[in-house]
């Protein structure tokens, strides 16, 4: 009986750890699943580091961090570090108007930096999806506003 209790405890601990990791990576997983469907336009997943996010700022490795304003500047890395945002990654900073939360993602599968976004995007902003034949990445850029909307 003690062995089965230990196994049950180990199972609970493993589930708890995996659940924590899953919530951290679920935005990226949902985004990858969304772009892989082959649609020309998508919106970003609703699940993010903060609930009910209304805007997101994509911060690319070459961004001038000194020009990023509140509330997004609260989640920035130290600009004095040698590489605040590594070349192969992108930082997404989400806000719901009162809280911010960030997520650093590799650009190896999904790249939101191709259009060099500098302004926050609303949660319902459509993004165009292009699949790169060269390296297999999905390249996302904000879709232009449709006329007559």
């Amino acid at each position: 009986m003690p062995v089965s209790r230990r196994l049950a405890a180990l199972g609970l601990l493993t589930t708890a750890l995996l659940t924590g990791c899953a919530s951290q990576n679920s935005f990226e997983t949902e985004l990858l699943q969304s772009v892989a469907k082959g649609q020309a336009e998508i919106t970003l997943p609703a699940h993010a580091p903060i609930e009910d996010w209304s805007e997101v700022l994509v911060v690319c490795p070459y961004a001038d961090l000194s020009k990023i304003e509140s509330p997004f500047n609260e989640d920035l890395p130290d600009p004095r570090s040698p590489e605040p945002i590594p070349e192969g990654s992108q930082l997404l900073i989400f806000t719901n108007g009162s809280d911010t939360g960030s997520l650093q993602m590799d650009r190896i599968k999904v790249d939101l930096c191709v259009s060099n976004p500098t302004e926050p995007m609303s949660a319902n902003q459509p993004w165009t999806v292009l699949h790169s034949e060269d390296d297999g990445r999905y390249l996302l850029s904000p879709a232009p506003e449709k006329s007559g909307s």
Side-chain angles (χ1 to χ4, degrees):
M1 197 65 134
V3 171
S4 63
R5 284 187 186 163
R6 281 189 225 148
L7 289 175
L10 180 61
L12 287 173
L13 178 61
T14 302
T15 301
L17 290 173
L18 290 176
T19 302
C21 293
S23 65
Q24 183 178 359
N25 296 324
S26 64
F27 179 88
E28 189 170 357
T29 301
E30 289 177 40
L31 180 58
L32 189 55
Q33 290 170 346
S34 183
V35 296
K37 290 179 182 176
Q39 297 174 334
E41 285 186 7
I42 64 161
T43 54
L44 298 180
H47 185 272
I50 60 167
E51 290 189 33
D52 301 323
W53 65 276
S54 56
E55 290 185 304
V56 62
L57 178 66
V58 178
V59 185
C60 302
Y62 35 81
D64 183 352
L65 301 183
S66 68
K67 294 186 177 184
I68 297 175
E69 298 178 357
S70 183
F72 300 100
N73 60 1
E74 296 169 13
D75 274 29
L76 287 175
D78 184 352
R80 296 171 300 197
S81 65
E83 194 175 30
I85 301 171
E87 180 61 37
S89 68
Q90 55 207 334
L91 181 67
L92 281 65
I93 304 175
F94 301 86
T95 186
N96 60 11
S98 57
D99 294 321
T100 60
S102 63
L103 172 68
Q104 188 166 329
M105 290 177 31
D106 285 336
R107 294 169 60 194
I108 219 161
K109 294 179 183 174
V110 178
D111 190 347
L112 288 92
C113 287
V114 292
S115 65
N116 192 21
T118 57
E119 298 294 320
M121 302 289 166
S122 72
N124 59 1
Q125 167 69 46
W127 293 76
T128 59
V129 179
L130 294 172
H131 190 236
S132 171
E133 297 286 328
D134 295 334
D135 58 15
R137 286 183 304 155
Y138 291 97
L139 310 173
L140 274 63
S141 55
E145 289 187 33
K146 294 183 169 98
S147 60
S149 312

